[in-house]
Structures are given as C-alpha cells and as structure tokens.
Amino acid sequence: MIQPSKTQTIIVYSSAITLGLILLCPVLWLFIMSVSSTKDLTTLPLQWIPEDISFENYIKLIGDVDSTSAESFLYALRNSLIVALSATFLSLCVAIPAAYSLSRLPGKRRKSLLFVAIATFMMPPVALVLPLYSAMASLGLLNTHIALIAVYCGILVPFTTWLLKSNFDAIPIDLDEAPLIDGANRLQIIWHITLPIAKPALGAAALMAVLMAWDEFFYALLFTNDIRAKTLPVAIADFAAGRVADYGLISAAGILATIPPVSMAYFLQKSLVSGLMSGSVKG
Amino acid sequence: MTALSLKNINKSFGEIQVIRDINLDIKPGEFVVFVGPSGCGKSTLLRMIAGLEEISSGEFWIQDRRADQLPASERDIAMVFQSYALYPHMTLAENIGFPLRLGNQPKEIIEKKVQEIASILRLEKFLDRKPGQISGGQRQRVAIGRALARDPKVILLDEPLSNLDAALRLEMRIELAKLHKQLEATMIYVTHDQVEAMTLADRIVILNNGEIAQVGSPLDLYTKPANTFVAEFIGSPKMNLFPASITEGHPGETKINLIGSSSNLMVNKDIEPNNELHLGIRPEHMTPSDEGAIKGIVTSTEQLGSDTYIYFDSETKEQAVARLNGITAIRTGEKISFDASQEHYHLFSPGGDRIN
Ligand SMILES: Nc1ncnc2c1ncn2[C@@H]1O[C@H](COP(=O)(O)OP(=O)(O)OP(=O)(O)O)[C@@H](O)[C@H]1O
Ligand SMILES: [Mg+2]
C-alpha cells in the first residue's frame, strides 16, 4: 500500500468532514427542534440551543398511547412498515428473475423490454394517478394497504430490475455455465450462485426500495384517508395541517420516522461491502 | 466409459461459420486433444459437446443416444473452464462438493468424496479457504477437482494449464496423464501447446479455421502430416517447406529439383511430374554435409544447450532452419550445406495435400 502524503490525508479528511456536516446539519436541527419547547422555536431571534430540553414530543407520539397524535403516529408507522416491506419483498421476487433473464438469456426483444420498464419508471406520477385512482376506486381498494403495495411495486419493479440487471451483467458468464455443467437448473443457478455473488447489489436494491416506498408521499396522500392506511409521510403532513403547526411534534415524528430505515441500512451495511468476486476467474 | 460421436457438425454465429462439417468418433476412455491456432474453433467445439452452445446442424451422439438437444446438466459431462470459473463465495470444499450437493447426496458422502479428491489433487490443507485466497495453480486444481466430483464419464478441459508457470505446467501435465489412467474417463483436452498435445494425447485433432486438418496419433501427425498446415503446426521449430518441381522420372526413381538451386534430390519412388510442389524436411532431419543439396548462408543461431537451431537463407527458401544436437561452432555468415535422407522427405501438392 502506498503511503498517502500528509496534505493528501488532510484534504481527504477535511472534505469528508465537510460533507458529513452538510449531511448531518439538517438532522441535527431536526433533533434540536424536536426537544425544544414551542416558545424557544418561535422567539426571534432564533434560540439555537434550547434552554430546557424536553422529550415531551416523543412521549406524545409513542408514550401516551391514548392520545390522538400517538394513535395516528403509531398506526402510520405500522402502515408504513407493512407497505414498504411488502412492496420491497414482492418487487424483489419479481425483479430477481426478471433481471437474470434480461442479463443472461438470449433474444433481442428482451433489451427493448428493459427499456420499456425504465421508461415507465421515468413517467411522472401525475400522469398516472387519475387512472390508477379510478381503478382502485372501482376495485374498492382505496384506503387499503393493497392499493399502496400494488402502486409501489409498479414503481419499484422497474427500478430494482434495472439495478440488479446491471450488477448481474458484471458477473462472468462462466459462473453461469459452470453450474449448468455441474447439473444445476436455472433456478438453482440463481439461488446458489448469482444471488450470493450479487448480495451487495441485492442489499442495495432492497435498501433503496424500502426507502423509496417509505418516503413516497404523492400516491399515499391520494389513496388513503384515515389511520387504517395512512403512511408516515402523510401522517406527518397531517400534523402540519392543523390551525397551529406544532413544529416540535413534527420534528419528533420526523426523527422517529428515520429510525427504521437507518437501522436497516446499518444492519445491511456488512452485506453492502463488495469485493466478493475475487479469485473466481483468472486474469 | 463413454463414446462420443460427432457427425457433420456445423456451427455459425449469425452469418459467420466457425465450425465446418466436423466428423469425429471418440472411443471410450480415449484422451483426445484438440489443437489449432487461436480462433480456429476449439473452444466452440468443446462447448457444443458440453451443451453450452447449440449445434447449428449435424448430429451429436453420446454412446447410442442422440444428444444434440440434451441440456448440459443431463449429459453427465464435466468441464474445466479456460477461466476456472470457481464459485467465489464458496470454500474450496464447497466448490468441489457443489455438483454432489445439486445431486442431493447426503452430507457424509459429499464430505468423503471431497476429501478423496482433495488428497488426489493435494488440496487438503486449503479446503476451508475461498478461491480468492489461493494461488493460480491451486485454483486450477480446484477446478479439476470440481469436475471430478461426480465421477463423470467424460471430462472436457479447455486450456487448463495455460495460466501456470512452466514448472507447474509440467507437473500438472504428468498429474493429468496419471488421472486419466486412474479414472478411466474419456477426456477431451483443448490446448494450443503442442508439447501438451503430443505428450498427453491418444489422438490429436488438429483444427484449422473450423475444419479438421488431420486426426491421428501424435506420431502419425509427426511422421505423416496430411497437409502443409499440419506439417508446419506440429514440430518445433517448424518444418521447412522448400518449393520444388519434378520434371522427369525413371521407373522406381524420381528426381526432385529445388527451385532456384542447381542441386537435385533423388527418391526411390514414382511420382507424377509437377512444377509447384513443396518438399518438407524437419529441422531435426537436416544433417550438415559438405556435398549437401541444400545450400545457404547462416543468418543466426540459437544455442539451447542440448540443441542448436541454425537459421539460414537457402538458395530455394529464405529463413530455413536446421536443428543440430549439442553445441556447435557454426557462426553467422558462414556458408553451410545440408542433406537429409529420403525417408524424411514430405512431399506436398500445390494445394498443400500430402503426396505419398
Ligand atoms: N458468441 C460468439 N459470437 C460470435 N462469434 C464467436 C462467438 N464465440 C466465438 N466466436 C468466434 O468463433 C471463432 C472460434 O472461437 P473459439 O473461442 O472457439 O476459438 P479457440 O480456438 O478456442 O481460440 P483460443 O485458442 O484463442 O481460445 C472465433 O473466430 C470467434 O471470434
Ligand atoms: Mg478457446
């Protein structure tokens, strides 16, 4: 390993710290808001460091189960978890074989299929929302998890397929042919060879999918109308929609809402490390 | 032990035909080597036998079963890839045992088999490592080990030793020859190293541009090359081909004129007169002689210790080469002349085919 020079080290570290600060500042501010009193937040000039720290907002959201804000927050959390995880799981179930076939199997028309899939991903939601809404309405699916899961799968499948396909493409074709010779069928190849090798990509795809579903606001706002199906972004927006917006409460909800995806990212980070390919083929 | 048979096999990629009308019968337990220059279709032919590449036309038989439509997994043919193709996420033991695991064998049997193969290939110490943590030669052996796992009746090897250094190559070559005896499996081996081909093969198939140039035992190919391509391909340094003509013949005797030279060579055979022949003489069959018919000026010499290669511009052909035993004192610029005894003459027609 070549020893980096001192200036190089300084530049790298200071850039990293700057980037980290830029990314973390809003979160830090969100946190400060969530533990400040309403008075501190509304005085001018702004009170950057709150005088007294209180976790009252958090208690309102998850401690005091009978309050209306806790009810809407906890139901929204449950709905978000169900919708995001199911949509991700279903999308991956479809995207894995789809990506494999696009990457490995012959045929010119497959390539245009991928293009169509990506094109649907590019389409703005506004273009689709009306027909989707009337379809859901006539199926009686409005304000249900299924409606959101179905719509999110429509968004996630093209995205995850494309992401996985480009990763499968990087795996040498020999690693498909060798198991074929060893007596494996296509599904066994995917299960025993392709997926374990593409584990980092799979983790990344799952994480991105969960995040996209977790953050989605537009369809969730239109297709849900009460605690049975409202997801977190909608619920948080509801807190802001009253006569007086309780910034502290909104911030606390925001902080809590980031915990599930962040912890998921934390646990997946080990599998996100790449470099699994080494030693497989010569050259 | 399994026999394979290829009948009128053709292969095209789109417009480009890469395999042309191959007919070949491979006997049970035979060690067949495909050789040929790069791009001549060796790998493609092997992949068609393995079932990885579709056959465009023709028939492929395994024993007495038509197999061109049989999926690769059902052919019971193992293959060692040109690139090893080890599974990077599995330990060596898992790599070798993978074909057995697919066959739903019980754990103990897989373990036993893996141990057995590891001891044949001297890999016991590394079984817990992953492919990224071993050397190239060891990877090579793992790739062979994986091919052996299912006790296949046919093993295909695509340039398995091409990535190893010379010493390891020699060692693995001997190892492979031993394995072949031990396993009694039919083996097809692709290489472009003619030493590997000559030492390992029961029969060599020489491919040129998608066609079989000649099939035969290593010595057949050496002593009776069917055409100029084979003549030049087998043997190192390659055979000298001198342009020659035959103008007259007496019964039982023919005079060969080397073009551009006044000297003649006599053979005790009847050969039709022809103006554009090639006379082939291997470098090792050229003996220096003061009265020799092949005269020239030495342009360079290579001393290998055991042999000396003498490159010279002869009257008939530039850059001819002779191979003499031991160390010689011949210098660049010297005049030199060679003779060869007539049983070492190879005559080829203008089209390049052998004339007997
Ligand atoms: N998938 C393919 N599509 C088109 N042409 C191909 C394909 N695979 C091989 N070819 C062509 O077929 C010919 C034979 O290729 P092949 O790989 O069999 O050569 P080879 O004899 O194994 O060469 P080498 O000694 O370099 O490995 C080459 O000209 C190659 O360009
Ligand atoms: Mg090849």
Side-chain angles (χ1 to χ4, degrees):
Chain A
M1 188 107 149
I2 300 164
Q3 197 76 31
S5 77
K6 204 162 202 166
T7 38
Q8 220 176 343
T9 319
I10 291 170
I11 292 171
V12 167
Y13 273 88
S14 52
S15 317
I17 289 168
T18 317
L19 183 68
L21 280 179
I22 292 172
L23 291 176
L24 278 178
C25 260
V27 182
L28 188 68
W29 179 232
L30 196 65
F31 180 73
I32 290 174
M33 280 171 74
S34 73
V35 293
S36 309
S37 64
T38 318
K39 194 177 106 268
D40 283 342
L41 286 174
T42 46
T43 50
L44 279 173
L46 209 54
Q47 186 91 29
W48 282 98
I49 310 295
E51 263 166 24
D52 41 19
I53 291 170
S54 106
F55 287 92
E56 192 191 338
N57 287 323
Y58 290 92
I59 295 168
K60 269 196 233 161
L61 287 174
I62 48 174
D64 184 5
V65 188
D66 294 329
S67 73
T68 47
S69 38
E71 190 184 36
S72 53
F73 180 78
L74 290 175
Y75 268 102
L77 183 66
R78 181 202 69 170
N79 295 336
S80 270
L81 281 173
I82 292 175
V83 169
L85 294 180
S86 321
T88 301
F89 176 77
L90 292 175
S91 309
L92 285 180
C93 286
V94 176
I96 289 167
Y100 181 86
S101 95
L102 289 169
S103 161
R104 288 296 195 250
L105 304 184
K108 281 205 189 76
R109 270 169 299 179
R110 270 180 225 277
K111 300 284 171 282
S112 25
L113 205 61
L114 180 68
F115 178 75
V116 170
I118 293 173
T120 64
F121 180 66
M122 299 295 171
M123 224 132 108
V126 208
L128 298 170
V129 71
L130 273 181
L132 275 176
Y133 188 90
S134 53
M136 292 299 172
S138 47
L139 289 170
L141 289 176
L142 284 178
N143 201 28
T144 63
H145 294 146
I146 296 177
L148 286 183
I149 293 171
V151 173
Y152 290 175
C153 280
I155 302 172
L156 297 180
V157 166
F159 171 71
T160 44
T161 303
W162 168 75
L163 194 76
L164 288 177
K165 183 215 172 256
S166 44
N167 274 280
F168 290 173
D169 283 348
I171 301 175
I173 190 87
D174 283 3
L175 287 181
D176 268 55
E177 295 180 338
L180 214 57
I181 298 270
D182 289 342
N185 59 35
R186 287 285 172 190
L187 285 178
Q188 287 172 312
I189 296 175
I190 296 179
W191 182 250
H192 290 296
I193 311 295
T194 314
L195 286 187
I197 293 176
K199 213 157 84 184
L202 208 59
L207 192 61
M208 295 294 287
V210 167
L211 282 182
M212 282 168 79
W214 192 262
D215 290 343
E216 205 286 326
F217 179 66
F218 186 67
Y219 290 112
L221 178 70
L222 293 170
F223 289 1
T224 62
N225 52 30
D226 63 28
I227 53 169
R228 278 173 295 166
K230 268 187 190 173
T231 56
L232 274 174
V234 183
I236 293 174
D238 280 351
F239 290 140
R243 258 175 305 125
V244 272
D246 185 343
Y247 290 116
L249 194 69
I250 296 170
S251 317
I255 291 283
L256 288 176
T258 56
I259 290 175
V262 166
S263 48
M264 180 180 163
Y266 180 80
F267 288 114
L268 278 179
Q269 79 171 353
K270 223 186 336 184
S271 82
L272 291 179
V273 188
S274 54
L276 270 171
M277 272 307 302
S278 70
S280 148
V281 293
K282 67 184 164 195
Chain B
M1 293 218 244
T2 309
L4 303 174
S5 154
L6 289 77
K7 294 179 183 159
N8 303 96
I9 298 269
N10 283 285
K11 173 74 189 175
S12 311
F13 290 109
E15 298 283 285
I16 312 154
Q17 192 170 8
V18 294
I19 295 290
R20 296 158 214 266
D21 208 26
I22 300 270
N23 284 288
L24 184 66
D25 282 308
I26 296 170
K27 297 187 211 63
E30 202 173 14
F31 199 126
V32 173
V33 174
F34 293 170
V35 287
S38 191
C40 68
K42 306 179 294 287
S43 297
T44 308
L45 193 56
L46 203 68
R47 290 165 54 80
M48 288 197 285
I49 294 173
L52 294 174
E53 208 78 72
E54 268 183 45
I55 293 171
S56 301
S57 74
E59 297 177 15
F60 174 56
W61 296 74
I62 299 176
Q63 293 287 54
D64 32 25
R65 183 166 176 209
R66 178 92 185 249
D68 11 332
Q69 299 298 329
L70 215 57
S73 51
E74 287 167 33
R75 294 191 183 192
D76 196 20
I77 292 179
M79 181 162 169
V80 178
F81 284 75
Q82 195 164 358
S83 67
Y84 310 152
L86 301 181
Y87 309 133
H89 55 293
M90 298 185 190
T91 64
L92 300 199
E94 287 167 334
N95 262 285
I96 296 173
F98 185 67
L100 299 172
R101 202 167 122 210
L102 289 174
N104 286 323
Q105 302 274 359
K107 253 208 172 90
E108 309 81 62
I109 294 197
I110 298 182
E111 260 167 41
K112 197 162 146 260
K113 187 81 200 170
V114 168
Q115 283 299 336
E116 192 185 311
I117 291 172
S119 74
I120 297 177
L121 295 170
R122 283 173 288 125
L123 286 168
E124 297 103 321
K125 271 183 281 172
F126 313 108
L127 282 179
D128 292 331
R129 298 208 199 157
K130 298 220 168 133
Q133 301 162 328
I134 55 174
S135 75
Q138 289 158 349
R139 280 179 210 163
Q140 182 56 64
R141 280 182 271 163
V142 177
I144 293 174
R146 189 176 63 195
L148 299 182
R150 276 188 314 175
D151 290 322
K153 299 289 163 278
V154 180
I155 302 176
L156 312 178
L157 303 107
D158 194 351
E159 301 195 28
L161 308 185
S162 59
N163 207 33
L164 307 181
D165 66 52
L168 201 53
R169 232 160 139 147
L170 176 72
E171 194 183 320
M172 287 302 296
R173 207 169 75 206
I174 295 167
E175 204 76 22
L176 274 174
K178 248 199 266 171
L179 267 177
H180 175 239
K181 291 225 174 60
Q182 211 173 324
L183 297 169
E184 303 187 319
T186 310
M187 285 193 176
I188 305 179
Y189 186 104
V190 167
T191 179
H192 46 228
D193 181 328
Q194 50 161 303
V195 181
E196 275 171 29
M198 297 295 280
T199 51
L200 287 170
D202 294 325
R203 249 181 342 146
I204 296 180
V205 177
I206 301 195
L207 290 170
N208 180 24
N209 205 4
E211 286 174 313
I212 293 185
Q214 190 174 1
V215 183
S217 74
L219 287 184
D220 274 352
L221 299 189
Y222 180 79
T223 53
K224 289 201 188 68
N227 47 50
T228 47
F229 176 81
V230 177
E232 290 196 296
F233 194 81
I234 295 287
S236 168
K238 65 182 185 188
M239 183 189 279
N240 299 299
L241 290 174
F242 298 103
S245 65
I246 290 173
T247 43
E248 50 179 311
H250 303 289
E253 193 167 67
T254 309
K255 192 159 78 177
I256 303 173
N257 313 104
L258 291 176
I259 291 180
S261 153
S262 52
S263 29
N264 302 315
L265 300 161
M266 302 300 290
V267 282
N268 302 335
K269 268 189 234 168
D270 292 330
I271 304 169
E272 294 281 299
N274 196 324
N275 282 328
E276 300 170 67
L277 294 173
H278 291 281
L279 172 66
I281 303 176
R282 294 200 180 277
E284 52 272 40
H285 296 143
M286 313 258 280
T287 40
S289 124
D290 294 340
E291 310 287 283
I294 304 159
K295 302 187 181 68
I297 294 171
V298 178
T299 55
S300 66
T301 60
E302 285 176 349
Q303 303 275 2
L304 304 186
S306 59
D307 297 303
T308 306
Y309 299 164
I310 296 166
Y311 297 90
F312 63 100
D313 286 340
S314 73
E315 295 166 327
T316 355
K317 171 187 188 285
E318 293 193 347
Q319 281 300 305
V321 56
R323 174 174 172 174
L324 306 183
N325 278 338
I327 300 164
T328 54
I330 295 167
R331 298 254 163 76
T332 306
E334 259 178 61
K335 276 194 181 156
I336 197 164
S337 60
F338 291 97
D339 237 340
S341 64
Q342 55 167 295
E343 69 264 24
H344 292 136
Y345 294 170
H346 304 269
L347 275 172
F348 300 100
S349 71
D353 293 324
R354 183 181 189 83
I355 304 171
N356 269 322

